[in-house]
Amino acid sequence: MKTSPRIETARVTGDLKLEIGWSTGETLPVDLSDLAQPPFDALRTPDFFARMTRDEWGHGLDWPDGLGLGADRLYELSRRQAGLPTASEFNDWMQRNGLSLASAAESLGMTRRMIAHYRTGSRPIPKVVGLACLGWESRRRQRAA
């Protein structure tokens, strides 16, 4: 079962910029400039953007008039912008290489359970694991050639 990271803290740090503290223990900046198009164009107004609140359970951020962004989307975006591996990238790596949970675990020298966490995004993927995936795939291509 997927247990997505929850937003524990969030603060505005600039125009369309936030710093979010996650239940994973990470604190990551996120820039929402690319998302500030309809229906999110209201975020471009500094006073409106500053009225951001964290929802009661940490599952997203809300603005007036029912505008909101979910924690899943924000977590993926903040990790990608920080240059950290994301669950969708990890899942794409598994699918691209035809790996099951068990075969991915064996390939990376990890437990099947940890691979499941990384695949669903319920645990942050360490940078070293992302790099291991890239190296594993590169080596596999070299052997095939």
Side-chain angles (χ1 to χ4, degrees), residues 23 41 44 47 49 61 88 110 121 138 142:
S23 60
D41 53 334
R44 291 194 179 281
D47 290 338
F49 189 72
L61 298 178
S88 63
M110 304 181 88
S138 175
Q142 287 174 347

Side-chain angles (χ1 to χ4, degrees), residues 36-139:
Q37 301 168 26
F40 298 105
D41 53 334
L43 297 177
R44 291 194 179 281
T45 307
D47 290 338
F48 184 86
F49 189 72
R51 293 172 60 195
M52 175 273 306
T53 59
R54 182 183 75 92
D55 86 356
E56 186 177 350
W57 298 281
H59 296 294
L61 298 178
D62 298 320
W63 285 268
D65 303 324
L67 193 63
L69 288 167
D72 286 351
R73 186 172 186 186
L74 289 165
Y75 186 64
E76 180 95 3
L77 183 60
S78 65
R79 284 190 61 86
R80 183 172 288 127
Q81 288 178 358
L84 298 169
T86 66
S88 63
E89 291 168 343
F90 190 79
N91 193 40
D92 289 347
W93 171 77
M94 287 180 61
Q95 289 182 359
R96 192 170 50 249
N97 292 289
L99 298 171
S100 65
L101 292 175
S103 60
E106 183 179 329
S107 296
L108 296 175
M110 304 181 88
T111 65
R112 184 182 181 282
R113 184 178 191 147
M114 190 54 70
I115 297 298
H117 283 300
Y118 293 161
R119 185 176 180 194
T120 63
S122 62
R123 297 271 172 90
I125 303 167
K127 189 179 268 190
V128 68
V129 172
L131 292 170
C133 292
L134 293 173
W136 183 91
E137 191 168 34
S138 175
R139 192 167 187 191

